[in-house]
Amino acid sequence: LKDVITEETRFEARVNIKNAMDSIRYGNSLDVKPIRDSVCKMIDELMDVKDTMVNLQDLKSNDQYTFSHSVNVCVLSLITGISMKYDEEKLKEIGIGAMLHDVGKIKIPQEILNKPGSLTKKEFDIVKKHTSYGYELLKKSKMLSTYASYIALTHHERFDGEGYPLGLRGEEIHEFARIVSVADVYDAITSDRIYKKRININEAVEYLIGMGGHQFDYNIVRNFIEHITIYPPGTCVLLNNGEKAIVVDVNKKYPNRPIIRILMDKEGQIPKEPVEIDLTKNNTLLISDIIDDI
């Protein structure tokens, strides 16, 4: 798989979001230009890729979580926007908003953000304020449209109305915020955190699908997962019947159900003839695990 954005672009974006958050933290005004420049670079690189498929492991880094997360959420939101036929202006708006969606966390005490255990109700109530803090910080900038501050405010709203801080429901939530919400949760649950280990990408996709229509807009989830590669071609997998196989192709609409070639049966024997199976057409076979080799 080709990397979706260059390492140089990713590094610059992490530096720019760090500088932006540090500037706000120390009481200075937000310089939007470096953020906009990074978003424009990402858009140019993503638009150059004819059929963008993302292996999320490629987006991970050992950099500080908040900055890497902001860049990842931006990339994922842009890819989703491209799949939804957004023009360049709309992509810029959602990209800038996605990069800055967590800016309000600079006002949350670090000991709460980095607490290794579960948060108390009082601590979680403090964390939830980052949406309102971000809104207040971003709306002060004359260089930003209202979309950025709105995304910061509403990216934790839920499609079923059970989110925060406003309890908005369905299409009351702007589409940009609905997209960033999916990207935000996806990257968070597939990343190692101090208080929680990441879950497997296939489990994350199953979660998004399962929460479509509840936590998330299902139409956005559908567009999102079409560009997520859970099992890239060449991945060795263990099936639920004990057979071992290699992924030979992906199904864009069902990324958790690729096309596989059986390499070893459950008795450990190599098939005499190659057998390929499209898992979208076989409901009894499931991928149980990813393995290093056969």
Side-chain angles (χ1 to χ4, degrees), residues 71-232:
V71 177
N72 292 350
V73 171
C74 180
V75 171
L76 294 168
S77 297
L78 288 173
I79 290 170
T80 307
I82 290 169
S83 75
M84 294 173 68
K85 311 300 183 187
Y86 278 12
D87 61 27
E88 191 169 343
E89 284 307 307
K90 289 180 76 172
L91 290 173
K92 287 178 185 177
E93 295 286 5
I94 193 173
I96 292 169
M99 280 275 277
L100 295 167
H101 78 284
D102 267 346
V103 70
K105 286 187 175 178
I106 64 172
K107 300 189 74 172
I108 306 299
Q110 288 298 304
E111 60 268 24
I112 294 179
L113 285 178
N114 297 323
K115 183 179 177 181
S118 300
L119 296 178
T120 65
K121 183 182 182 303
K122 183 178 180 181
E123 288 169 335
F124 185 54
D125 286 341
I126 291 172
V127 170
K128 289 198 292 186
K129 291 180 180 178
H130 80 276
T131 56
S132 299
Y133 291 152
Y135 173 74
E136 294 297 331
L137 289 167
L138 295 180
K139 77 174 186 178
K140 293 177 183 176
S141 174
K142 296 179 181 178
M143 302 297 293
L144 286 171
S145 72
T146 55
Y147 292 121
S149 56
Y150 189 80
I151 288 170
L153 179 67
T154 60
H155 67 278
H156 282 293
E157 299 289 350
R158 286 176 49 126
F159 204 66
D160 59 9
E162 296 297 315
Y164 65 87
L166 303 176
L168 301 178
R169 179 187 299 272
E171 294 188 3
E172 293 174 351
I173 310 163
H174 192 279
E175 190 170 79
F176 288 176
R178 282 182 267 150
I179 291 172
V180 172
S181 174
V182 174
D184 176 49
V185 170
Y186 188 86
D187 187 70
I189 63 179
T190 55
S191 300
D192 280 327
R193 307 296 302 279
I194 293 172
Y195 53 86
K196 192 174 183 181
K197 286 287 186 183
R198 68 174 180 256
I199 67 174
N200 292 332
I201 293 175
N202 57 319
E203 295 175 305
V205 168
E206 293 288 357
Y207 175 79
L208 294 185
I209 293 171
M211 294 303 288
H214 302 285
Q215 184 171 354
F216 310 112
D217 180 339
Y218 182 72
N219 181 57
I220 287 170
V221 170
R222 183 175 55 79
N223 278 278
F224 181 90
I225 65 174
E226 283 188 9
H227 296 274
I228 301 302
T229 303
I230 305 174
Y231 307 109

Side-chain angles (χ1 to χ4, degrees), residues 234-276:
T235 303
C236 295
V237 295
L238 176 67
L239 304 179
N240 60 334
N241 64 355
E243 294 180 325
K244 295 179 179 180
I246 189 167
V247 175
V248 296
D249 204 355
V250 296
N251 285 306
K252 284 189 67 175
K253 291 187 180 297
Y254 304 97
N256 56 337
R257 309 289 288 168
I259 298 169
I260 59 170
R261 180 179 300 140
I262 303 299
L263 296 183
M264 188 176 292
D265 64 25
K266 52 191 172 184
E267 279 78 35
Q269 300 299 312
I270 298 173
K272 294 179 180 178
E273 298 291 335
V275 178
E276 289 194 2

Side-chain angles (χ1 to χ4, degrees), residues 31-70:
D31 184 2
V32 179
K33 186 178 183 303
I35 299 292
R36 181 176 284 111
D37 289 345
S38 284
V39 169
C40 289
K41 274 190 178 182
M42 291 183 206
I43 292 170
D44 288 343
E45 291 180 13
L46 291 170
M47 296 293 275
D48 280 343
V49 181
K50 194 170 185 180
D51 188 19
T52 308
M53 293 294 291
V54 185
N55 177 359
L56 263 289
Q57 298 305 322
D58 290 341
L59 291 177
K60 301 302 169 194
S61 78
N62 294 320
D63 202 5
Q64 296 181 56
Y65 172 78
T66 298
F67 312 127
S68 296
H69 175 66
S70 296

